[in-house]
Amino acid sequence: MAYVQGFSTSCLFLFPKGALQGFQQSLGLNLPFTDSRINRSLQTRIFVEMKEDSGPMAIDNSKKMKIPHVLTVAGSDSGAGAGIQADLKACAARGVYCSTVITAVTAQNTVGVQGVSIVPEDFVAEQIKSVLSDMQVDVVKTGMLPSIGVVDVLRQSLREFPVRALVVDPVMVSTSGDVLAGPSILAGFRDHLLPMADIVTPNLKEASALLGGQQLETVADMRSAAKLLHDMGPRNVLVKGGDLPDSLDAVDIFFDGKDFHELRSSRIKTRNTHGTGCSLASCIAAELAKGSSMLPAVKVAKHYIETALDYSKDIVIGNGPQGPFDHLLRLKSYVQNSCRQVGFSPSDLFLYAVTDPGMNKKWGRSITDAVKAAIDGGATIIQLREKDVETQDFFEAAKACLKICRFHGVPLLINDRIDVALACNADGVHVGQSDMPACVARTLLGPDKIIGVSCKTPEQAHQAWIGGADYIGCGGVYPTNTKANNLTVGLDGLKTVCAASKLPVVAIGGISASNASSVMEIGVPNLKGVAVVSALFDRECILTETRKLHALLKEATAISIHRQGQLNS
């Protein structure tokens, strides 16, 4: 599977023989289909079939992978905090495919709802049929159903195309208090939709409306409401108590017809709660689509919302009283990464500083002092290699070092520990041959992080390229004290690996000011720098040693470029 698992999509391109080159030429394109990262991914995650003719291709159904699939039938929110947009984001965050049927288009923002345009019922029916007749939908989740006619359309469609589960979020009153559906459809909910539902998820206002205006002010009231709603036909009921007055916790009541479950979580103090109801229901649907039973799905969904709200509590989108939250837990990373250049550049490998806790301890300095001194001296990339350090201590050290690296625009990589890299949002990882494979690291880290792999042979270099790595570290070039029993490859071995590698290379192992020039002058264009440990960190003054090595590397690079120019002339 290799690099394919690092992405959520897979494409199929069919070209007759020779058509691919012709297509490029017709657009005036000269695309390198061998060495770029995009084209590496083409080899592993995009299948290009060169056919003798353009006839239809037979599909082997036995090799199909069933993808969990939720269909959401709901209204569109122009502010993208709730409705269809929230459903899509929640399902994506939970790793589930989500298709959509739009029942209404709303004009709304963080202030409130300014307008609603209802989609004609016959077109809602056409949308539903298009999806259910073709795609293998596992779960249908409903949101805003603005008319009795739409309720009837949905009911009839589900009779024609049954699904595994129906999740009903009875959207009539938004969390901000806007009325999104009139009382005329209450009878449709009670008589037709709830009896079909596997779970219904009203907030306090919606539960009150469904129960004819009954006031819900305590947990006991919520239990009573859950029982009464269950009597209307749904197999399970979740009454959401986010608006429960005088409650220190966020309390929800789940009732399955037999047992009550009081689900509590910490109440997050934030204005960014728009779309929580839609997202909770969609997350429940997503977990059901993955095969979960009901109560575990509800618990996962509740924990997910709590986590997303906590992450999003300080973000500011819009000027109104109720903002959206970040379903994917990614928006703040842009701010955190704003001092870092976009993407990986091979020039980052020029002076690659690898920390060592024993050396820092020997010289009585903190890791942050060591990293700052290396960067001030000209290090172009930092790798934290903190062996035998407790995870919590490593995480705290990584966060502190990341702040320094971000300020200076220098990438920070974590050696081996992908969990620490993810937790502190480092720029990437470096892994060895006995560590997690590059393709798995890519799956976990995503397409935008840097991945380096230690390699000693052309075969290992090729596998790193196939796995989606950005660079390889080749060595040890010379014997070193930092790794016991480390087989050296020498300058000839380094040159052989560089010649075979489709990735940029950094030389590793035993490199110091005394031999760095010899390494950089071997005359291969994809050798981009040297990685050093003792030469910097096992010295009294890191700043001085880094400056000295940086100057030597610049001089050696200039000599190598000059020699290469003479050979080519």
Side-chain angles (χ1 to χ4, degrees), residues 148-171:
I148 294 177
V150 169
V151 173
D152 287 339
V153 162
L154 178 64
R155 181 168 57 91
Q156 293 166 12
S157 298
L158 290 178
R159 284 178 176 172
E160 183 178 359
F161 303 103
V163 295
R164 187 189 305 167
L166 173 63
V167 176
V168 174
D169 182 24
V171 177

Side-chain angles (χ1 to χ4, degrees), residues 429-502:
V429 297
H430 185 92
V431 295
Q433 289 297 315
S434 61
D435 299 319
M436 185 176 292
C439 61
V440 179
R442 177 63 68 200
T443 300
L444 295 171
L445 293 173
D448 56 339
K449 296 295 186 181
I450 302 169
I451 295 177
V453 181
S454 296
C455 299
K456 294 181 182 295
T457 67
E459 292 76 19
Q460 291 174 351
H462 182 71
Q463 195 59 44
W465 175 71
I466 291 295
D470 294 284
Y471 74 90
I472 64 168
C474 182
V477 179
Y478 301 108
T480 174
N481 294 325
T482 59
K483 282 195 174 183
N485 305 316
N486 187 33
L487 179 67
T488 58
V489 299
L491 291 179
D492 289 340
L494 173 64
K495 194 168 185 178
T496 299
V497 172
C498 286
S501 176
K502 295 180 173 66

Side-chain angles (χ1 to χ4, degrees), residues 77 93 172-173 176 254 272 276 308 317 443 450 469:
D77 172 2
M172 291 171 282
V173 183
S176 58
F254 176 82
N272 300 320
T276 49
I317 298 175
T443 300
I450 302 169

Side-chain angles (χ1 to χ4, degrees), residues 326-341:
D326 179 10
H327 292 73
L328 301 177
L329 313 184
R330 293 295 301 275
L331 294 178
K332 291 196 293 188
S333 64
Y334 171 78
V335 178
Q336 295 167 348
N337 292 336
S338 58
C339 295
R340 168 81 181 102
Q341 67 265 32

